[in-house]
Amino acid sequence: MISSGRFKIRSTVVVLATTALAAAGAMVAVANTGPAGVSAGDVGVMAVEDDGADCPVSLPGSTASNSRLPDPFTRINGQRITSKSDWRCRRAEIRELAERYVYGDKPAKPSSVTGTVTSSGITVNVSHNGRSSSFSASVQLPSGTGPFPAVIVYGGFGGDTATIRSSGAAVISFDPYSVGREGTPRNNKQGAFYSIYGNTSPTGLLMAWAWGVSRIIDVIESNGGNVLRTDIGVTGCSRFGKGAFAAGVFDQRVGLTMPIESGTAGLPIHRGVNAEGGQTLSSAYGEQPWFGDAFGSYTGNPNTLPIDTHSLVSMIAPRGLLVMDNPHIANLGPRSASVAALGGAEVYKALGAGGNLLYHSNVSNGTHCANRSEWTAPLQQAIGRFLRNTGSFTGGVNMHSKATGNLSQWRDWTTPTLSDGPGSTTTTTTTTTTGTTTTTTTTTTTTDNPPVGACTASVSVNQWNGGFVATVKVTAGASPLTGWSVAVTLPSGASVTNSWNSTRSGTTGAVQFGNVSFNGNLGAGQSTEFGFQATGSGSGLSPTCSAG
């Protein structure tokens, strides 16, 4: 059992996403406006590094191969989340999976972190278990009177620093090599992180760098004074884009994450980058110890990973995310990066924060890590919205026509409508043996506190060796229904062979069932049932119901 600790997410901004495809590229544009009573600056930033550390997580002993992107809404135990509050501990599961399989462990805050903050620099001193290390970063302040929000720039090589400062944020130039040095073998890693945790630590450089960013934030929290506030962004390009992405993923105090042209080991989905012609996973793993050591087992077969980078994007939700990408360099895997953004955007939308993510690759200049005019306005708006609590930000996915990803080719799951309140799931299992035949019946009832006019669905499964029958009960909410739709995501290998009292779309993966003429009209609180037969396993079914 692994526990991972966080405080409650403040509020998220409710937005809706609309999709438009244009000849020059594809843009999903979302206006970022909040409902009455919701602060425009309240974007899910936490007071702690890891808000879900108290969530119990039991990692699987093995995982099945899956060529599609794993469902970010389905827990390790196979149950789908039903409320926004469920995301907190689902995110903790994804975090633990990412540490085990991709990055290596990110230790909790060391026993002692001290340092100083001045108008020109930050010092960081760390002690833990009898070991100590130190590193520093330079600071450039904007004009005006502090304290200022700040953007941590990896190696001074990320978002345009002149634009950052003119937008009212300080620039913190962080040398990641002081924390985790490149050019070292995996059994002799060097830098401040490895001085604390050992040079044979299986944690890769990207996570070590992210640990360094977290320690800078620790010092700002304790000693920022009149110089720096704890409104923090992080950015970097190329290998430093990989690092900036990891820093935002693994520290919920980062309000704005801005990776640029991150390439393999950054945003591009692991399952797609090899085929796309990007830098291969094995090449990236061997070039530098960016990945954790354990990832070496998956470079040739990423389909066996229980997560992918779309889930890492989702870990940033609902905080600000501005991804700047280059569609003109195939080695960067821009199509796979856009798929990751599209997949992660589904979690943003489900949390009511779709406007807090912008993926932007619709640029004309193909030079690697160039400052581009197309990114100036989004950068200014993102700093204003997420670090200064001023102005507005338009989220979406703005892809160049040369590298347009298609999420539908990569997923077999649907995006649920998450309720605002906590959901609850009750499972009862009964096993009956007659002669040599054993029948297991599992009834799972999922309640997602539906709004007026919505509905709930529960399922009873009669399982045998090689197949099952599922009976689904649909119950109207506080208002009558004139039609209903139920989404069911089947386990890998399961396939519907027959259904009754419903219409059906699909036989595997995400299957949609709808009412027929005689069972669509339900009074408030009334129920009806439909069923289906399928091959394979019916374990973990968690139907979701919507009106219409």
Side-chain angles (χ1 to χ4, degrees), residues 158 178 190:
S178 64
Q190 301 293 316

Side-chain angles (χ1 to χ4, degrees), residues 187-263:
N187 62 358
N188 189 25
K189 302 183 184 82
Q190 301 293 316
F193 177 89
Y194 301 104
S195 295
I196 298 292
Y197 301 104
N199 60 4
T200 60
S201 166
T203 296
L205 295 183
L206 299 181
M207 190 66 100
W209 297 349
W211 175 90
V213 167
S214 295
R215 306 294 70 86
I216 290 174
I217 297 174
D218 292 341
V219 173
I220 294 173
E221 284 181 337
S222 60
N223 292 309
N226 293 322
V227 181
L228 298 176
R229 301 200 314 244
T230 54
D231 299 286
I232 301 295
V234 61
T235 187
C237 188
S238 195
R239 65 193 62 207
F240 297 154
K242 309 179 204 298
F245 179 54
V249 167
F250 290 99
D251 195 324
Q252 291 176 282
R253 297 172 297 179
V254 174
L256 175 59
T257 304
M258 297 182 288
I260 303 173
E261 303 180 43
S262 58

Side-chain angles (χ1 to χ4, degrees), residues 215-514:
R215 306 294 70 86
I216 290 174
I217 297 174
D218 292 341
V219 173
I220 294 173
E221 284 181 337
S222 60
N223 292 309
N226 293 322
V227 181
L228 298 176
R229 301 200 314 244
T230 54
D231 299 286
I232 301 295
V234 61
T235 187
C237 188
S238 195
R239 65 193 62 207
F240 297 154
K242 309 179 204 298
F245 179 54
V249 167
F250 290 99
D251 195 324
Q252 291 176 282
R253 297 172 297 179
V254 174
L256 175 59
T257 304
M258 297 182 288
I260 303 173
E261 303 180 43
S262 58
T264 305
L267 213 73
I269 57 171
H270 303 315
R271 284 164 168 80
V273 70
N274 286 1
E276 181 183 347
Q279 183 181 20
T280 65
L281 296 174
S282 59
S283 171
Y285 183 83
E287 180 177 345
Q288 299 290 345
W290 294 320
F291 288 109
D293 292 358
F295 189 76
S297 300
Y298 301 94
T299 57
N301 187 16
N303 291 349
T304 57
L305 286 167
I307 61 167
D308 212 312
T309 57
H310 70 302
S311 295
L312 304 178
V313 171
S314 74
M315 284 179 64
I316 299 174
R319 294 170 289 135
L321 175 60
L322 170 59
V323 180
M324 293 166 273
D325 216 348
N326 186 342
H328 305 286
I329 301 178
N331 192 57
L332 293 171
R335 183 172 290 106
S336 295
S338 68
V339 171
L342 288 165
E346 295 303 299
V347 174
Y348 270 83
K349 288 187 285 185
L351 295 177
N356 290 353
L357 175 155
L358 174 60
Y359 175 87
H360 196 310
S361 68
N362 200 3
V363 296
S364 58
N365 184 347
T367 305
H368 188 39
C369 291
N371 288 327
R372 295 175 172 84
S373 59
E374 294 98 330
W375 292 340
T376 300
L379 178 57
Q380 293 170 330
Q381 293 166 3
I383 291 171
R385 170 73 177 86
F386 300 110
L387 301 185
R388 301 185 65 233
N389 194 18
T390 61
S392 61
F393 178 77
T394 300
V397 178
N398 189 351
M399 298 176 283
H400 194 282
S401 58
K402 291 180 64 174
T404 301
N406 184 351
L407 180 61
S408 65
Q409 296 176 349
W410 288 98
R411 70 165 171 172
D412 54 8
W413 43 269
T414 59
T415 301
T417 299
L418 301 180
S419 67
D420 289 326
S424 61
T425 301
T426 303
T427 302
T428 303
T429 302
T430 303
T431 301
T432 304
T433 302
T434 303
T436 59
T437 302
T438 299
T439 300
T440 300
T441 301
T442 302
T443 302
T444 301
T445 302
T446 302
T447 303
D448 56 356
N449 300 324
V452 173
C455 52
T456 59
S458 60
V459 61
S460 176
V461 177
N462 185 8
Q463 178 78 52
W464 62 86
N465 186 22
F468 66 94
V469 167
T471 302
V472 181
K473 182 178 181 180
V474 176
T475 303
S479 295
L481 290 177
T482 57
W484 48 262
S485 178
V486 172
V488 180
T489 300
L490 301 181
S492 177
S495 179
V496 176
T497 57
N498 187 26
S499 60
W500 50 93
N501 295 342
S502 66
T503 62
R504 186 182 83 245
S505 174
T507 58
T508 61
V511 181
Q512 198 79 21
F513 298 90

